[in-house]
């Protein structure tokens, strides 16, 4: 158990809908990362938050957005869903001390999103 | 940004065989290097890491040495078990710039170990 929790575990929805994925980081971790794992794209970085602020952005679609709340949990919002958005979405957390090259990311179990 | 080339799978071995999964990378600076493992139906788990050149990471019988001169971080295990069947990912994090900390994953290597 990594200490990172994600809900829900599975989500089935229809095209055009909007969903919210939730992540709670390990106790004490200030940084949260979101990754998408799909068969055709592999594992891709989406976005990172650090202590409530966006720190880095990857290949995240404009239809997707995220935020990190004062209690450090994070939500990933996916809207106008398309069939191709079906994937496993992982959240990871780390302490991310500035300038620390040994920082380790710990991953949650993931949310499997199926868009029908 | 970083890029990673991992040995293509799938890799199929008999129990107690020797395992090598190659990983080479291009990266800005000299980041830490990580191997993650994903067991069937589960999330990613950190397997081992190395934080500087010539460092050797090890865990559960797996080892990998950070070779700066060849930009490689090959994963090895002397005697695999059926329970090692999983997907293995090599991942260097970005060491600077606006993507600091972001992990770049290789395509993953599927390992199947038969009894």
């Amino acid at each position: 158990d990594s200490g990172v929790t994600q809900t829900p575990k599975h989500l089935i929805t229809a095209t055009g809908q909007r969903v919210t994925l939730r992540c709670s980081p390990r106790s004490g971790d200030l940084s949260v990362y979101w990754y998408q794992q799909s068969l055709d794209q592999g594992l891709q970085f989406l976005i990172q938050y650090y202590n409530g602020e966006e720190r880095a952005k990857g290949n995240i679609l404009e239809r997707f957005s995220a935020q990190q709340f004062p209690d450090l949990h994070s939500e990933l919002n996916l809207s106008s869903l398309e069939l191709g958005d079906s994937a496993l979405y992982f959240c990871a957390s780390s302490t991310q001390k500035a300038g620390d090259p040994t920082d380790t990311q710990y991953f949650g179990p993931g949310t499997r999103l199926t868009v029908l | 940004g970083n890029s990673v080339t991992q040995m293509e799978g799938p890799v199929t071995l008999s129990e107690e065989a020797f395992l090598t999964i190659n990983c080479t990378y291009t990266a800005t600076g000299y980041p830490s290097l990580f191997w993650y493992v994903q067991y069937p139906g589960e999330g990613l788990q950190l397997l081992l890491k190395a934080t500087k050149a010539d460092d050797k990471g090890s865990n559960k019988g797996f080892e990998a040495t950070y070779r700066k001169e060849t930009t490689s971080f090959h994963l090895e295990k002397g005697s695999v078990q059926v329970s090692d069947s999983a997907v293995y990912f090599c991942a260097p994090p970005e060491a600077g710039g606006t993507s600091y900390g972001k992990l770049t994953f290789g395509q993953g290597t599927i390992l199947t170990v038969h009894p």
Side-chain angles (χ1 to χ4, degrees):
Chain A
D1 184 357
S2 66
V4 179
T5 59
Q6 287 187 250
T7 56
K9 194 164 183 171
H10 300 278
L11 200 47
I12 301 174
T13 188
T15 55
Q17 295 298 303
R18 173 189 166 93
V19 297
T20 297
L21 313 184
R22 184 187 167 105
C23 167
S24 293
R26 292 187 322 153
S27 177
D29 283 357
L30 298 179
S31 199
V32 169
Y33 302 78
W34 286 97
Y35 293 86
Q36 179 194 58
Q37 185 178 33
S38 62
L39 280 173
D40 51 346
Q41 302 283 341
L43 258 167
Q44 288 198 97
F45 167 73
L46 295 178
I47 197 163
Q48 179 202 0
Y49 278 80
Y50 176 77
N51 204 19
E53 307 234 339
E54 183 184 303
R55 175 170 267 200
K57 221 166 183 174
N59 299 326
I60 188 166
L61 300 171
E62 283 192 18
R63 301 183 284 107
F64 296 0
S65 65
Q67 54 185 327
Q68 187 179 28
F69 295 86
D71 67 352
L72 301 176
H73 91 271
S74 177
E75 292 181 356
L76 179 67
N77 300 296
L78 315 176
S79 61
S80 302
L81 285 167
E82 302 174 359
L83 296 177
D85 298 327
S86 296
L88 255 175
Y89 291 85
F90 288 109
C91 164
S93 75
S94 74
T95 53
Q96 183 75 103
K97 293 178 188 136
D100 179 1
T102 69
D103 193 51
T104 299
Q105 292 180 34
Y106 294 90
F107 282 74
T111 293
R112 182 171 293 282
L113 173 67
T114 303
V115 182
L116 300 175
Chain B
N2 295 345
S3 67
V4 178
T5 302
Q6 255 185 260
M7 181 170 122
E8 285 207 28
V11 174
T12 303
L13 295 172
S14 298
E15 211 164 22
E16 299 183 5
F18 183 83
L19 168 72
T20 300
I21 300 178
N22 292 339
C23 169
T24 57
Y25 65 91
T26 59
T28 305
Y30 301 105
S32 298
L33 294 170
F34 299 87
W35 275 99
Y36 281 86
V37 59
Q38 186 174 26
Y39 296 103
E42 297 185 17
L44 288 130
Q45 298 178 27
L46 176 68
L47 180 59
L48 54 82
K49 70 178 184 182
T51 58
K52 59 185 187 296
D54 300 323
D55 213 17
K56 179 187 277 188
S58 61
N59 184 30
K60 298 182 182 180
F62 290 89
E63 292 183 339
T65 301
Y66 187 155
R67 302 279 185 209
K68 192 174 93 175
E69 64 279 6
T70 55
T71 60
S72 66
F73 193 48
H74 305 322
L75 183 69
E76 296 182 337
K77 185 172 185 182
S79 176
V80 293
Q81 305 300 312
V82 172
S83 57
D84 294 327
S85 298
V87 185
Y88 292 82
F89 293 93
C90 180
E94 295 283 339
T98 58
S99 296
Y100 184 86
K102 158 200 162 187
L103 288 173
T104 300
F105 287 93
Q107 71 270 31
T109 301
I110 300 171
L111 171 66
T112 303
V113 180
H114 292 299

